Amino acid sequence: MDRVTVVGGGLAGLAAAVALAPRGFAVTLMESRQRLGGRASSFVDAASGQVIDACQHVSMGCCTNFHHLCDLVGVRRLLAPQHTLFFQTPDGRISRFKADPWPAPLHLGRALAAAHYLTAGDKLGIGYALARMLAEPPDTDPPLREWLKRHHQSDRAIDRFWGVVLTSALNETVDRVGLKYARKVFRDGFVKHRDAFTVHVPTVPLAELYGVELRGWMGRYSVTLQENVGVVKASCEQERSGWELHLRDGTTQTTKHVILAVPFDRVLALLPENLVADPFFARIGHLTPSPITSVHLWYDRKVLDLPHVVLVDCLGQWVFNRGEVAPGEHYLQVVVSAARPLKGVGRDEITRQIVNELTKLYPAVRAAKVLRTKVVTEHTATFSAVPGVDAFRPPQATPVPGLYLAGDYTATGWPATMEGAVRSGYLAAEAVLRAVGRPARLVQPDL
Ligand SMILES: Cc1cc2nc3c(=O)[nH]c(=O)nc-3n(C[C@H](O)[C@H](O)[C@H](O)COP(=O)(O)OP(=O)(O)OC[C@H]3O[C@@H](n4cnc5c(N)ncnc54)[C@H](O)[C@@H]3O)c2cc1C
């Protein structure tokens, strides 16, 4: 039985392990931390003992590989589909974004037409630009803002429509992204299929989703799970004997195939010195990060009736209402994607601004008491989808025998998301299967 070692227990590594374990490989999963899920994970809040997500994660209906993984390991039931999205402006007005029972792409036409925060002219212009965007060749990737301006988009349409959708979906601003992934978001997420835009929110902390349930699945398929095991270097003296993984504790493990499923800012450090300068790998060094900040707030009473709100023209972009998590403790999480402007702003000031925003939006907040707050910033939350970014994203199969890459940053055709991570894991597993002469298609079809 061939041994495959997956380094990294984020969604990419987990997907690769789940794909290969039932296919006759002895799979070992090494994770440097004491928990699975990587960036999509939770921690125990020291103040309350509650398990909270570092940041709320959601998927969309178009995330077919992520949902396939969830189905496979039995956690899909823990995702709650949101068929209506609520968009709110600082004046408190809310537009409901809901599909009509018409075929795509007409299903969302009426919802866009009813958006209170755009003028009729903006909406017509958006319809025109969307049609032009979809007609662009899939790989053209000019700077998006220039492209939008060339296609007659007003600043209001850019800020309140394109910016609102893309900053959350790509974790980057309209000023910095390229057309390619913007097009991908609108095409795959809104236009292609009626169910694509449905947002799925986990009903349990991510630790439960990927930790408890997945752990059980891996036990049943004999995956050897090694947590708190960090790899410091991978080396290969002789191709025939496979790979040596040098671990943080000074020991070494050998393996025939190794899938490095660590983030883009870690992977080069693990490679043998002679590969770091190889253009195949060196391009990874050109990827740049984009941060996400999440503000966690516990109130002494219910302050919001809606399950979530997408904020327009605000500092916060999404408010997630996690309900009463302990007696008399109502928990909200406010997410700020592409949080570069918050760099250098203290946690107290960020909290103050978010609390002010919520106080203006929701009358119930004025009477409520803030019990606790917490600010979490992930500085390297995702890679930045700048124009031409795909030149820096390597495929999962490398030119080096027995060495594979997985991770949301690898060439998946997707932005840095849980879907991208799972796709990369499946693609890495496909590459391993090809290498042993048993090719199989693991990546799931789009909606
Ligand atoms: C704040 C935040 C919010 C997000 N929101 C969303 C969202 O709503 N929806 C969405 O789809 N995506 C979201 N994302 C993106 C999503 O989390 C990532 O794209 C995805 O989880 C990446 O998975 P990965 O396996 O590629 O990498 P990671 O999750 O980073 O996994 C890599 C793993 O490798 C381990 N590791 C690193 N070095 C070593 C080593 N030397 N030895 C052993 N193990 C090692 C790490 O500990 C980690 O567990 C968000 C990300 C962040 C940070």
Side-chain angles (χ1 to χ4, degrees):
M1 202 186 245
D2 278 348
R3 172 165 300 283
V4 180
T5 303
V6 181
V7 181
L11 279 165
L14 291 169
V18 163
L20 291 173
R23 290 183 165 78
F25 293 90
V27 178
T28 299
L29 181 69
M30 292 177 178
E31 165 56 49
S32 59
R33 291 190 270 193
Q34 195 61 58
R35 57 182 157 90
L36 298 176
R39 275 168 275 164
S41 57
S42 326
F43 62 92
V44 178
D45 175 37
S48 62
Q50 290 165 19
V51 177
I52 61 171
D53 294 341
C55 185
Q56 179 70 62
H57 275 60
V58 301
S59 59
M60 288 173 71
C62 54
C63 298
T64 52
N65 288 273
F66 173 67
H67 290 152
H68 176 264
L69 178 73
C70 291
D71 280 334
L72 207 65
V73 300
V75 299
R76 181 72 176 267
R77 67 197 152 79
L78 301 174
L79 301 179
Q82 311 290 309
H83 297 291
T84 304
L85 303 181
F86 302 92
F87 287 76
Q88 189 169 28
T89 41
D91 58 6
R93 290 178 68 196
I94 293 178
S95 285
R96 287 170 165 71
F97 198 75
K98 189 172 186 298
D100 279 308
W102 304 328
L106 303 175
H107 62 305
L108 294 174
R110 209 159 60 112
L112 175 63
H116 72 271
Y117 47 88
L118 297 165
T119 65
D122 292 335
K123 291 169 194 169
L124 284 174
I126 289 166
Y128 161 77
L130 267 177
R132 293 295 301 268
M133 184 179 266
L134 296 173
E136 289 279 3
D139 283 326
T140 31
D141 204 11
L144 181 65
R145 182 178 275 279
E146 285 167 30
W147 187 94
L148 289 173
K149 280 288 179 193
R150 270 206 314 281
H151 291 80
H152 317 299
Q153 299 304 289
S154 66
D155 287 339
R156 186 177 41 240
I158 292 178
D159 291 344
R160 294 185 167 185
F161 176 75
W162 302 99
V164 165
V165 174
L166 294 172
T167 305
S168 301
L170 298 177
N171 185 32
E172 197 47 285
T173 56
V174 166
D175 292 333
R176 288 179 172 253
V177 290
L179 175 72
K180 179 174 178 175
Y181 284 105
R183 180 181 179 278
K184 170 104 189 147
V185 169
F186 285 102
R187 180 176 168 272
D188 289 22
F190 293 93
V191 171
K192 242 175 99 182
H193 195 282
R194 298 183 37 78
D195 299 330
F197 88 103
T198 304
V199 168
H200 297 252
V201 184
T203 55
V204 294
L206 295 164
E208 202 173 314
L209 203 62
Y210 308 133
V212 182
E213 302 274 348
L214 248 165
R215 210 178 285 270
W217 188 95
M218 290 197 288
R220 289 195 290 286
Y221 283 89
S222 307
V223 175
T224 306
L225 190 53
Q226 300 182 345
E227 283 165 288
N228 214 0
V229 171
V231 174
V232 287
K233 207 74 181 168
S235 66
C236 179
E237 299 308 328
Q238 288 175 330
E239 271 176 26
R240 279 163 160 250
S241 56
W243 286 82
E244 288 196 335
L245 298 174
H246 307 276
L247 308 183
R248 206 160 48 187
D249 65 3
T251 61
T252 300
Q253 290 191 26
T254 55
T255 184
K256 177 105 171 77
H257 309 272
V258 58
I259 300 177
L260 295 180
V262 301
F264 73 85
D265 58 336
R266 305 278 172 83
V267 67
L268 292 177
L270 302 193
L271 292 174
E273 296 306 332
N274 62 321
L275 294 184
V276 176
D278 183 310
F280 180 91
F281 299 99
R283 63 179 127 175
I284 300 169
H286 296 287
L287 290 167
T288 52
S290 180
I292 299 180
T293 293
S294 55
V295 181
H296 307 249
L297 306 116
W298 289 264
Y299 287 96
D300 68 345
R301 67 198 71 181
K302 186 177 184 180
V303 292
L304 179 63
D305 284 324
L306 300 172
H308 68 262
V309 182
V310 186
L311 298 178
V312 179
D313 278 350
C314 292
L315 171 63
Q317 288 141 11
W318 276 77
V319 183
F320 293 100
N321 182 0
R322 302 301 303 185
E324 189 170 17
V325 288
E329 292 199 3
H330 297 259
Y331 172 37
L332 296 187
Q333 204 191 112
V334 182
V335 179
V336 184
S337 297
R340 223 172 266 109
L342 294 180
K343 195 168 176 211
V345 182
R347 288 180 181 175
D348 291 348
E349 177 56 19
I350 295 172
T351 309
R352 193 190 63 76
Q353 290 185 26
I354 292 291
V355 169
N356 275 352
E357 206 158 79
L358 295 178
T359 308
K360 285 185 190 137
L361 286 167
Y362 309 116
V365 170
R366 280 171 222 148
K369 187 172 164 212
V370 181
L371 298 173
R372 273 192 318 285
T373 62
K374 193 169 194 75
V375 177
V376 181
T377 296
E378 297 272 0
H379 294 283
T380 47
T382 64
F383 69 81
S384 180
V386 295
V389 71
D390 279 355
F392 311 137
R393 303 178 71 186
Q396 295 73 24
T398 78
V400 186
L403 176 64
Y404 310 86
L405 302 175
D408 59 359
Y409 74 91
T410 59
T412 62
W414 273 70
T417 50
M418 298 189 288
E419 169 69 11
V422 172
R423 269 177 191 251
S424 77
Y426 285 177
L427 286 165
E430 283 184 5
V432 173
L433 286 164
R434 273 199 306 278
V436 298
R438 290 192 277 129
R441 171 104 177 137
L442 304 176
V443 171
Q444 301 302 303
D446 292 342
L447 274 186

